[in-house]
Amino acid sequence: MVQSIILGLSTEQMQKAVAGKLGVHPDTLAFREFERPLSLHTGRRRANIRITPIRNSRLGLIKVQSQDPQFAVQVADTILGESKILNIVGVQLAEQRQNRKVHQAQLYVLNQKAAELRVENTRLQEQVQQLDGYKAEGRPLEYFPMFETDATLNNLKTQLMLVESEYQRIASQSTRGSRLEGKAAEVAGLKKQMANHAKNLEISLRAKAASLTSSMNQLEKQVGETELHVRADDRKAAQIMEMLAHPEQASELSTAMAIPAASSNV
C-alpha cells in the first residue's frame, strides 16, 4: 500500500495540486516519471521532480532540482504535505478492505447456515403437510409413517400386539372373568398411551417446524444486513480510491466524507 502511494505521487493530478498550493502554473513543474525535465537555465522558477520508493522499506525519496533552492524546498514540502493526505487515505482504504473481508467472511458463513436451514425447513414443512393430509383422512395418528422410527412408540406397539394376542387367547376360552377384564383394561391403557405419545410427537414436529422457520427468517435477515454492509464497504472503498486518483481533491473529499486522520508513517 505504501509503495503504491509513493509511486502514485508522480501524476498530473499531483502536479496540478502542488502548483495550485504554490500559486504557480503547472508548466513550471515537471514530474520526470511522466514528462521530460524542464530547462533550469532561465529566469523563471522551475523545478524537476523525481519521486521514488526505497526498496524493501516504507520510505520514499522526493528529489527536487531547481535554480532556486528555496523554491525547491517549497515544492518538496508541498508534495510531502499532499503525500500525508494520501497516506491517511491509504490507511483508511486498507482498513476499509479489512472490514470488507470480515463482512465477506461473515456473509459466507451465514449463507452456508441459511442454505442448510432452508433444506431442513423444507423437509419439516413437507412432513407437516403430510401429517395434515393424514389426519384429514381420519387415520390414527400413532400409525403416521413419519413416527415409525420413534423407539417409544414402537415399544408400545409391540406391547400392544403381545397383550392383544394374550387377550384373544383368554377370550377364546372364556367370555368373562377378571383375567379377561384385566387384559382388556391393559389393551385400552396401551392404546391410550400410544395415542398420547403420538400426539406429543405431533406437537414436537409442529413446534420444531415453527422454530426452524423462525430461525431461518432471522438468519436470512442477518444475511440481508450483512450484504448491505458489504455493499456499503464497496461504495466506501470506491470513494477512497477516487481520492487516491485525485490528490488535488483528496483533502476536500476526506473532509466531506468525514474520514478521520489515521496514525501512519510517511
Side-chain angles (χ1 to χ4, degrees), residues 74-88:
Q74 291 175 348
V75 171
D77 283 346
T78 303
I79 294 173
L80 184 60
E82 293 298 306
S83 72
K84 288 180 179 179
I85 296 174
L86 291 182
N87 198 23
I88 291 172

Side-chain angles (χ1 to χ4, degrees), residues 208-250:
K208 186 177 180 180
S211 176
L212 194 60
T213 299
S214 176
S215 297
M216 186 186 68
N217 291 337
Q218 184 65 29
L219 191 58
E220 288 182 340
K221 181 180 178 182
Q222 293 179 23
V223 169
E225 292 174 348
T226 307
E227 286 176 342
L228 290 177
H229 284 310
V230 171
R231 287 196 288 269
D233 290 337
D234 289 340
R235 288 193 299 270
K236 190 70 171 292
Q239 291 174 320
I240 296 175
M241 288 296 292
E242 184 74 9
M243 296 181 202
L244 291 175
H246 298 88
E248 75 281 6
Q249 302 176 18

